[in-house]
Amino acid sequence: MNTTIESFTQLELRAPILQALSDVGYETPSPIQAACIPHLLAGSDLIGQAQTGTGKTAAFALPLLNRIDLSVKNPQILVLTPTRELAIQVSEAFQRYAKHLPGFQILPVYGGQSMVVQLRQLNRGAHVIVGTPGRVMDHIERKSLNLESLTALVLDEADEMLRMGFIDDVEWILSRTPETRQTALFSATMPDRIRRIAHRYLREPQEVKIKSATTTVTAISQRFVQLGVQHKLDALTRILEVEEDFDAAIVFVRTKTATVELAEKLEARGYAVAALNGDLTQQLRERVVEQLKRGTLDIVVATDVAARGLDVPRITHVINYDIPYDTEAYVHRIGRTGRAGRAGTAILFVTPREVRMLKDIERATRQKIELLPLPSREAVADRRVLQFTQQVEAVLKSEDLSFFLDVVRNLEAAGEAELHEIAAALAFLAQRERPLQLPPAVGRDIADIAQGRPERTERFERSERFDRTERPARPEHASRENREQILERRRDYAEGKLERYRIEVGRNQQVTPKDIVGAIANEAGIESRFIGQINLYEDYSTVELPATLPEDLLAVLRRVRIRQFMLGIRRLDEEESRRDAARKRPGFSPKPSDKPRKPFRDDRRPDFSGAPRKGHGGKSRT
Ligand code: AMP
């Protein structure tokens, strides 16, 4: 492995490709990239033992793109992948890296996609084809895929193709490509059959294997969370809220851009956080480290390179927000905690495709990494209540409260309320920035998704919980409802019965439909699939939400703010709904000022990780 390559500029890549790398924010080549790119640039065949997450896609895409001839419209590079998902992912990666190659065309081809469309696209020409073996075979047989100009072939995740029974197809395709081609084979493991294929079809291949560092890291407790990429931000904030012994954390991500984006999102949620990446001058870097040491900052979001050698004893947690490329990087990362003989905790976020890397890390560190169940919303709320109680107790012990006692005595003397009611009102005021009651989730909670638990009627569980702790239920709280009603409501959600609601923000307040979806999804936990059409007007908007939104959730939503403006949500009455619907009908021409904007529909999952909307992000820490 070549460890001396620290920057992409040391590799002989063309300027447009270096520019694209700078755009995506890659700071330094990953080990597999540093090792493979020079060989592939030199035209050698290559066997790379590497898996998803190591950066292997760029390891072959960059050098192969480097020599593409844009004037030749026939496929010059063919990448075979075991699944359509990987085919799409690889195509997207190529596209990102080829952003500054004018006229560059790539075509993913896989089963399940319309043959007619594919034939038309192939006819138009593409420089790179990424496909699953079956569909690529089809096209070769139909002569719709012309491989005459092919100069390079990549077998991606070869062991997966073997496991899925595609290996004969792969050999069939290999035997029909020009012998002059350059071939790269990537595989996480090297079963005999793959070795034999490599031996038969590759010419004096260079072998690259990312070595696994084996180290023992006993002072550090290692845990992992399995989750989807879209849940990372929510998971991180929950973990930061409930982790005991939390003092300071370093959060590792892959790109410079990600350091800045994540730091901004955490800052919007009230954390004292900064980004640390290779773009910072030495002076700025030192300042960040100094602030972390002093406690002016609690969290630093960093890339591997920027955090090298960081020695801050108060770091209690290392969060691997993006999995490292290899075990060596993992060991380096977690070594940022557990310093000066203290205990430390390392938490690794693992998406389903990265489970293999988790196993490698366990092997390399000779330690089992325990599953960390994601804290539920209740656990977060319980933690907040506990911290709040502790703060109150501390103030009672240490502060001179005489002035405030007078204020309370005056309130009591007014005779409007009992002392405990006054205290409750004060507690209510004190928790507004960081609510002690979290709104119930609508749809599956991420903690349940992470644990593979089925959907549950959370509101029902919450009411049970209140009964258990004998907290008085508020009159409108779910504890009054019987199970039947709750189940009925869920059925309504499932059937997608939507009703129109009015919110008191509109175009004049410069809100966008994305702001509205984000605020509702984040603050009320309503998944975006339960949020329907949004119409923006001058001073208000209407939004379709589940018909059966419970009163307590509406109460939460009423107070949510977008750009400092309170939503003040309410259901439209029948007449208003009718008018609103009529305005959307073709043929209706509202006054120019009242014309609804193009209806907005977002069937994708909410972007929980989206940029924070100013004005309604609750502080997460007091
Ligand atoms: P792969 O192993 O090819 O699936 O890549 C895993 C992830 O790492 C992808 O999200 C890439 O965008 C990212 N990645 C690849 N190379 C680099 C790099 N040199 N710096 C930062 N991120 C990278």
Side-chain angles (χ1 to χ4, degrees):
M1 191 174 63
N2 189 342
T3 46
T4 57
I5 296 176
E6 295 268 318
S7 150
F8 282 106
T9 50
Q10 284 171 263
L11 299 165
E12 281 156 30
L13 293 168
R14 288 163 50 200
I17 293 175
L18 290 175
Q19 181 57 46
L21 291 173
S22 154
D23 292 351
V24 289
Y26 293 179
E27 211 167 48
T28 186
S30 73
I32 188 91
Q33 291 162 2
C36 292
I37 293 175
H39 292 314
L40 290 175
L41 280 175
S44 303
D45 281 3
L46 182 118
I47 301 176
Q49 199 165 341
Q51 64 212 27
T52 304
T54 52
K56 68 173 163 57
T57 316
F60 61 78
L62 299 174
L64 298 184
L65 270 177
N66 202 58
R67 59 145 194 255
I68 213 131
D69 181 350
L70 293 168
S71 64
V72 176
K73 289 285 183 199
N74 280 340
Q76 294 160 57
I77 302 171
L78 172 64
V79 183
L80 295 179
T81 67
T83 62
R84 67 177 256 174
E85 286 74 27
L86 188 59
I88 294 170
Q89 215 174 298
V90 169
S91 301
E92 287 172 353
F94 263 94
Q95 233 141 12
R96 274 197 301 276
Y97 307 138
K99 185 173 153 204
H100 299 293
L101 297 178
F104 173 77
Q105 289 293 339
I106 184 162
L107 187 64
V109 296
Y110 43 81
Q113 213 186 17
S114 151
M115 203 44 155
V116 181
V117 174
Q118 269 177 20
L119 288 171
R120 200 179 316 132
Q121 288 169 326
L122 279 168
N123 213 12
R124 266 190 233 129
H127 302 104
V128 180
I129 305 289
V130 185
T132 48
R135 192 46 78 100
V136 169
M137 262 178 91
D138 270 4
H139 283 296
I140 296 177
E141 278 183 327
R142 283 168 182 257
K143 305 213 176 343
S144 44
L145 180 57
N146 176 353
L147 295 177
E148 273 167 24
S149 315
L150 198 77
T151 59
L153 176 78
V154 180
L155 308 180
D156 197 7
E157 299 197 354
D159 51 351
E160 276 301 293
M161 294 202 268
L162 173 67
R163 203 180 56 77
M164 293 169 76
F166 298 149
I167 209 67
D168 293 337
D169 299 354
V170 170
E171 281 209 68
W172 187 94
I173 296 167
L174 270 165
S175 64
R176 277 160 186 80
T177 52
E179 286 206 351
T180 49
R181 63 162 202 271
Q182 181 182 17
T183 314
L185 180 153
F186 285 87
S187 198
T189 55
M190 278 295 157
D192 279 351
R193 178 84 195 268
I194 299 293
R195 279 239 163 259
R196 278 204 302 276
I197 288 181
H199 191 69
R200 176 145 179 223
Y201 293 96
L202 274 62
R203 279 164 308 168
E204 297 170 30
Q206 299 289 336
E207 288 208 33
V208 170
K209 188 174 173 183
I210 296 307
K211 78 166 184 282
S212 296
T214 40
T215 327
T216 335
V217 273
T218 39
I220 302 165
S221 128
Q222 299 179 68
R223 288 174 292 162
F224 78 96
V225 181
Q226 188 158 359
L227 76 188
V229 175
Q230 73 276 29
H231 296 135
K232 283 187 177 182
L233 178 63
D234 203 4
L236 174 64
T237 51
R238 285 191 194 192
I239 289 169
L240 292 175
E241 284 225 33
V242 303
E243 273 296 288
E244 315 229 338
D245 314 321
F246 177 87
D247 192 8
I250 177 153
V251 180
F252 281 99
V253 294
R254 290 218 156 160
T255 63
K256 289 185 268 192
T257 335
T259 59
V260 176
E261 282 174 7
L262 183 58
E264 279 174 1
K265 285 173 191 162
L266 290 173
E267 190 170 27
R269 284 163 177 76
Y271 291 96
V273 52
L276 192 67
N277 63 45
D279 278 353
L280 298 190
T281 58
Q282 185 57 19
Q283 203 184 359
L284 277 176
R285 182 179 184 275
E286 279 164 17
R287 202 165 97 199
V288 169
V289 176
E290 197 43 46
Q291 286 176 326
L292 187 64
K293 279 190 181 149
R294 277 207 315 270
T296 350
L297 284 177
D298 292 330
I299 302 174
V300 163
V301 186
T303 54
D304 290 289
V305 179
R308 224 177 259 166
L310 190 86
D311 186 5
V312 179
R314 71 177 272 264
I315 294 177
T316 47
H317 286 70
V318 167
I319 315 276
N320 291 283
Y321 193 85
D322 292 334
I323 202 161
Y325 302 116
D326 57 14
T327 54
E328 208 172 325
Y330 177 82
V331 172
H332 273 140
R333 285 181 177 189
I334 69 169
R336 301 306 107 218
T337 184
R339 299 191 81 78
R342 303 183 197 198
T345 298
I347 296 173
L348 175 66
F349 285 3
V350 182
T351 63
R353 295 181 58 83
E354 296 162 346
V355 175
R356 229 183 206 153
M357 178 63 98
L358 170 70
K359 299 280 166 238
D360 281 1
I361 293 173
E362 283 188 330
R363 231 173 288 128
T365 55
R366 302 204 192 98
Q367 248 188 56
K368 182 148 179 56
I369 305 183
E370 299 292 339
L371 175 76
L372 169 68
L374 255 192
S376 64
R377 296 165 80 82
E378 290 93 337
V380 173
D382 284 349
R383 178 86 183 152
R384 287 188 185 182
V385 171
L386 178 73
Q387 285 173 343
F388 181 75
T389 316
Q390 286 168 345
Q391 276 170 356
V392 173
E393 284 165 358
V395 168
L396 284 171
K397 267 197 211 126
S398 61
E399 297 289 331
D400 174 9
L401 296 174
S402 14
F403 171 80
F404 301 93
L405 278 170
D406 284 345
V407 175
V408 173
R409 279 196 198 105
N410 285 343
L411 270 170
E412 190 192 13
E416 297 282 332
E418 304 275 329
L419 262 185
H420 66 267
E421 287 171 323
I422 296 170
L426 295 173
F428 173 81
L429 287 176
Q431 56 94 59
R432 277 218 276 214
E433 284 284 278
R434 192 175 179 232
L436 298 181
Q437 288 175 299
L438 298 186
V442 174
R444 275 174 90 195
D445 185 62
I446 64 160
D448 293 337
I449 297 172
Q451 258 80 254
R453 278 197 295 264
E455 190 160 346
R456 58 188 173 142
T457 49
E458 175 155 350
R459 293 177 43 70
F460 185 69
E461 289 180 9
R462 280 173 65 84
S463 58
E464 279 179 337
R465 181 171 152 270
F466 274 102
D467 294 345
R468 196 183 66 227
T469 53
E470 294 178 11
R471 260 175 263 184
R474 285 188 287 123
E476 72 276 19
H477 196 272
S479 58
R480 284 279 164 93
E481 291 179 282
N482 63 31
R483 197 177 170 83
E484 252 323 292
Q485 280 172 309
I486 292 162
L487 290 177
E488 182 62 34
R489 217 168 48 212
R490 290 222 89 88
R491 271 196 291 276
D492 282 349
Y493 278 12
E495 284 165 17
K497 280 190 199 157
L498 299 178
E499 212 171 63
R500 237 159 222 291
Y501 293 75
R502 174 180 164 127
I503 52 178
E504 301 304 322
V505 288
R507 264 176 293 177
N508 285 352
Q509 288 75 38
Q510 267 130 42
V511 303
T512 64
K514 197 166 164 230
D515 293 332
I516 296 173
V517 172
I520 294 175
N522 280 354
E523 304 294 320
I526 299 177
E527 287 179 39
S528 72
R529 66 193 163 105
F530 295 126
I531 305 176
Q533 195 173 41
I534 293 172
N535 289 336
L536 291 181
Y537 299 98
E538 295 267 281
D539 276 317
Y540 72 98
S541 307
T542 60
V543 49
E544 283 181 328
L545 292 173
T548 47
L549 276 193
E551 191 42 48
D552 56 350
L553 200 53
L554 278 174
V556 171
L557 272 174
R558 232 168 261 139
R559 294 199 305 268
V560 167
R561 286 167 187 271
I562 304 182
R563 301 195 193 287
Q564 313 294 352
F565 298 96
M566 194 111 82
L567 290 191
I569 194 164
R570 69 169 175 81
R571 268 191 192 91
L572 294 189
D573 63 28
E574 255 176 56
E575 174 57 23
E576 288 172 318
S577 291
R578 209 183 41 71
R579 274 207 313 258
D580 193 65
R583 284 174 177 186
K584 284 183 298 167
R585 272 208 305 271
F588 175 85
S589 4
K591 288 185 290 183
S593 64
D594 247 8
K595 204 181 236 158
R597 270 206 187 159
K598 202 163 151 257
F600 172 82
R601 198 169 258 292
D602 187 356
D603 292 331
R604 290 159 303 156
R605 278 201 45 73
D607 180 13
F608 286 110
S609 61
R613 289 147 303 284
K614 288 216 168 59
H616 71 88
K619 284 226 191 295
S620 298
R621 301 188 82 195
T622 45

